[in-house]
Amino acid sequence: MFRKMLGSLNAEGMGGPAFIMLVATVVGGGCNFLFQISMQNYAFPYVSEINTLLAILYIVSVPSSAIANVMIRYVSKYKAEGQEGAISWLMRRTMVVATVAGTALGLIIVLMLTIPQVREALMLTSYLPSVLIGIGVLVSLMSPVGAGPLQGLQWFTRYGLQSVVNYVLKLTVGLGLVLMGYGVSGAVGGVVIGLAFGAGLSFIMVRKYLRAPGTAVETKEIWRFTVPSMIGVLCFTILTQVDVIFAALLFDKDVANIYTGASMLAKIVLFLPQAIAAVMFPKIAKAHAEKGFTHSILKSAVLLTLVLSSIVTLAYLLAPEFILGILVPGKYPLDLTIPVLQILAVAMMLLGLANLFMLYGLATDGHAYIVIMGLTVVFMGALMAITAGAVSPYTPEVLAGVMVATGAFNIILSVFYLFLVERERTLRLPL
């Protein structure tokens, strides 16, 4: 039934690929969701520490998403132009850059996480997870060299397979190590092992291009895209991850665990529609390179994202006790957890839409969307500072409310700018 709906909303071939990616995302997302639930059930005393470390990994690994966006856009572009040699050259050159940058960033983050004052502030209990985070940064920066071209070439089945491998190993290895008594190190180790195997599989899938010497291309255009891509992805990662770190710094351990647990449950609203974004980006990049229309693809992606995210959000709003009773029975006080979960679910739905607008801007050189992301980060930081100073007591519900206001701010600006662009394009059309 859902496939028929995708077909009816088909725009430039969105239906079939979106369905393939949806299946892969549901499987991978299910594993990711089960990982979070497992940590909350079997590593409950360390939930805040685990998710603080993973939030740091995701923020520091922002260049990996920027690299992925570069690979998707320019592989799509070169494929449309018939420049196979340029694809090989871009992949090989990017592999060198990613390896060097990943090694440097990994070492820096390990050194920072060994500083006593940092460890005390973040309530870290062991050194090994910090080392694993450093390794994870290196793997994260290298992985888009394989995974990005799979999307750019529109090999969505292969991309979905390597993504599923990543999350299946994250769940099975991470949970297995936690059950064996390795605690935080086991959970983080599972994440890193999943990333490494997924990256390795993607390299095998694109080995034809990695082996070819390729043909050098002008890089000025690529760098002009890389900088706004890096900024946009950094802003989005901050918007979706920094609240967990803020909670760890601001609340005591028990309250921080409640907020972090609610945040991880709410992120399924953000994660589920990622299949739509994964398909939309290369489609729009290709259409833009061919001077085609892109707004119809964006509108279909927005509608599908709203449908998927609304299903989960409504479930949290209408039956929170039932859901928490199944997923994390007896782990959290319901009267404290449910309001935070419900507020954050709405926030994640809004931020999922913000991600679509950002990717649309990157695919079409609409840098105004990147500016909007930057303004949203400033807005969130200012609102966090104002509420922390003016509201007493500062509760998890207040922090969750800041997240909703942040998402709404971004959507209002993005929709208003899209309206202005659409109006200008309509006025330019011949009568």
Side-chain angles (χ1 to χ4, degrees):
M1 184 173 111
F2 197 73
R3 187 168 189 170
K4 281 181 72 176
M5 186 180 74
L6 284 169
S8 67
L9 296 171
N10 184 32
E12 299 293 322
M14 281 281 290
F19 182 76
I20 293 171
M21 290 298 296
L22 178 64
V23 172
T25 301
V26 169
V27 175
C31 291
N32 189 50
F33 187 64
L34 288 174
F35 174 84
Q36 296 295 342
I37 297 303
S38 299
M39 295 307 104
Q40 294 184 51
N41 281 289
Y42 300 107
F44 181 71
Y46 311 108
V47 167
S48 180
E49 183 178 352
I50 291 170
N51 285 293
T52 297
L53 286 168
L54 292 181
I56 292 171
L57 171 62
Y58 299 145
I59 291 174
V60 177
S61 299
V62 158
S64 68
S65 297
I67 292 170
N69 289 336
V70 169
M71 299 301 294
I72 294 168
R73 170 166 174 155
Y74 285 96
V75 168
S76 297
K77 180 178 183 291
Y78 295 146
K79 185 68 175 178
E81 296 172 352
Q83 299 187 60
E84 297 283 326
I87 296 175
S88 296
W89 182 88
L90 178 64
M91 290 175 62
R92 290 164 64 92
R93 178 63 63 91
T94 306
M95 176 69 85
V96 174
V97 174
T99 302
V100 173
T103 301
L105 278 175
L107 289 173
I108 290 171
I109 198 64
V110 170
L111 291 174
M112 289 185 64
L113 290 177
T114 58
I115 297 173
Q117 292 85 345
V118 174
R119 299 184 60 78
E120 182 180 354
L122 297 176
M123 296 181 284
L124 304 181
T125 58
S126 175
Y127 285 95
L128 180 57
S130 302
V131 176
L132 292 173
I133 291 296
I135 297 172
V137 170
L138 171 61
V139 176
S140 292
L141 262 67
M142 294 176 64
S143 63
V145 179
L150 291 176
Q151 289 180 266
L153 294 166
Q154 300 190 31
W155 293 351
F156 294 118
T157 302
R158 299 183 192 186
Y159 176 81
L161 177 60
Q162 65 85 31
S163 179
V164 167
V165 167
N166 175 0
Y167 288 114
V168 167
L169 288 176
K170 173 182 176 179
L171 171 63
T172 55
V173 176
L175 178 57
L177 290 174
V178 166
L179 292 176
M180 291 170 63
Y182 289 98
V184 179
S185 298
V188 175
V191 172
V192 174
I193 289 171
L195 285 170
F197 274 86
L201 183 57
S202 69
F203 295 150
I204 293 172
M205 291 173 174
V206 296
R207 63 188 181 278
K208 165 186 148 182
Y209 290 99
L210 285 172
R211 288 173 176 172
T215 305
V217 295
E218 177 58 55
T219 59
K220 287 183 180 179
E221 180 188 350
I222 295 175
W223 281 110
R224 282 198 301 268
F225 174 79
T226 301
V227 173
S229 177
M230 185 87 71
I231 294 171
V233 174
L234 174 61
C235 290
F236 181 72
T237 306
I238 290 173
L239 292 175
T240 55
Q241 300 294 336
V242 79
D243 63 314
V244 173
I245 300 175
F246 194 68
L249 294 171
L250 194 64
F251 303 132
D252 62 43
K253 189 172 183 179
D254 290 337
V255 178
N257 274 343
I258 291 173
Y259 184 90
T260 301
S263 177
M264 293 304 104
L265 290 172
K267 279 190 172 68
I268 189 65
V269 179
L270 182 68
F271 185 83
L272 188 59
Q274 284 184 355
I276 308 303
V279 173
M280 182 198 77
F281 187 63
K283 292 286 183 184
I284 289 180
K286 182 173 182 290
H288 181 68
E290 297 172 346
K291 310 298 182 184
F293 290 109
T294 57
H295 280 195
S296 59
I297 304 175
L298 174 63
K299 290 174 183 176
S300 292
V302 168
L303 181 57
L304 287 168
T305 298
L306 278 173
V307 170
L308 288 173
S309 57
S310 295
I311 292 172
V312 184
T313 301
L314 285 173
Y316 285 146
L317 292 175
L318 298 177
E321 297 93 345
F322 176 75
I323 293 173
L324 289 174
I326 293 177
L327 299 178
V328 285
K331 295 298 180 182
Y332 299 104
L334 296 182
D335 59 325
L336 298 177
T337 307
I338 288 175
V340 180
L341 173 61
Q342 292 175 328
I343 297 169
L344 284 175
V346 175
M348 293 305 144
M349 182 171 64
L350 295 172
L351 290 174
L353 293 174
N355 184 46
L356 283 183
F357 286 118
M358 181 194 72
L359 291 175
Y360 178 77
L362 290 174
T364 60
D365 295 320
H367 293 165
Y369 291 105
I370 310 305
V371 175
I372 290 172
M373 293 298 287
L375 290 174
T376 306
V377 170
V378 173
F379 175 84
M380 181 182 72
L383 196 56
M384 281 184 173
I386 291 170
T387 53
V391 179
S392 181
Y394 196 84
T395 64
E397 290 94 328
V398 174
L399 181 55
V402 169
M403 297 298 292
V404 173
T406 298
F409 178 82
N410 183 282
I411 297 304
I412 291 170
L413 291 184
S414 297
V415 171
F416 180 70
Y417 178 73
L418 183 65
F419 169 78
L420 293 179
V421 171
E422 180 77 11
R423 183 181 179 186
E424 182 179 351
R425 184 181 69 86
T426 303
L427 291 174
R428 288 179 178 177
L429 292 175
L431 297 176

Short mmCIF file of all heavy atoms in Angstrom, two decimals, residues 2 17 50 86 118 357 360 371:
data_model
loop_
_atom_site.label_atom_id
_atom_site.label_comp_id
_atom_site.label_asym_id
_atom_site.label_seq_id
_atom_site.Cartn_x
_atom_site.Cartn_y
_atom_site.Cartn_z
N PHE A 2 1.92 1.23 0.83
CA PHE A 2 2.78 2.40 0.90
C PHE A 2 3.52 2.60 -0.42
O PHE A 2 3.78 3.72 -0.84
CB PHE A 2 3.79 2.22 2.04
CG PHE A 2 4.45 3.50 2.45
CD1 PHE A 2 3.74 4.46 3.17
CD2 PHE A 2 5.75 3.77 2.09
CE1 PHE A 2 4.35 5.64 3.53
CE2 PHE A 2 6.36 4.95 2.46
CZ PHE A 2 5.66 5.88 3.17
N PRO A 17 12.99 4.05 -6.23
CA PRO A 17 14.15 4.21 -5.36
C PRO A 17 13.78 4.52 -3.92
O PRO A 17 14.43 4.03 -2.99
CB PRO A 17 14.91 5.38 -6.00
CG PRO A 17 14.49 5.36 -7.43
CD PRO A 17 13.07 4.89 -7.42
N ILE A 50 27.11 7.07 27.37
CA ILE A 50 27.17 6.49 26.02
C ILE A 50 26.72 7.49 24.98
O ILE A 50 27.39 7.73 23.96
CB ILE A 50 26.31 5.20 25.94
CG1 ILE A 50 26.94 4.08 26.76
CG2 ILE A 50 26.13 4.76 24.48
CD1 ILE A 50 26.05 2.87 26.94
N ALA A 86 36.41 11.21 -14.31
CA ALA A 86 36.36 12.23 -13.27
C ALA A 86 35.86 11.64 -11.96
O ALA A 86 36.30 12.06 -10.88
CB ALA A 86 35.46 13.38 -13.72
N VAL A 118 37.69 17.96 31.40
CA VAL A 118 36.68 17.56 30.40
C VAL A 118 36.00 16.28 30.84
O VAL A 118 34.77 16.16 30.78
CB VAL A 118 37.33 17.39 29.01
CG1 VAL A 118 36.32 16.83 28.01
CG2 VAL A 118 37.89 18.72 28.51
N PHE A 357 15.24 20.82 3.56
CA PHE A 357 15.48 22.14 2.98
C PHE A 357 16.98 22.41 2.82
O PHE A 357 17.41 22.98 1.82
CB PHE A 357 14.83 23.24 3.83
CG PHE A 357 13.33 23.28 3.71
CD1 PHE A 357 12.51 23.05 4.80
CD2 PHE A 357 12.73 23.56 2.49
CE1 PHE A 357 11.13 23.10 4.69
CE2 PHE A 357 11.35 23.61 2.36
CZ PHE A 357 10.55 23.39 3.47
N TYR A 360 18.24 20.37 -0.09
CA TYR A 360 17.76 20.98 -1.34
C TYR A 360 18.64 22.18 -1.70
O TYR A 360 19.02 22.35 -2.88
CB TYR A 360 16.31 21.43 -1.16
CG TYR A 360 15.74 22.11 -2.39
CD1 TYR A 360 15.34 21.36 -3.49
CD2 TYR A 360 15.62 23.50 -2.45
CE1 TYR A 360 14.82 21.98 -4.62
CE2 TYR A 360 15.12 24.12 -3.57
CZ TYR A 360 14.71 23.37 -4.66
OH TYR A 360 14.21 23.98 -5.78
N VAL A 371 22.63 29.65 5.21
CA VAL A 371 22.55 30.81 6.10
C VAL A 371 21.43 30.62 7.12
O VAL A 371 21.59 30.93 8.31
CB VAL A 371 22.32 32.10 5.29
CG1 VAL A 371 22.11 33.29 6.21
CG2 VAL A 371 23.50 32.36 4.36
#
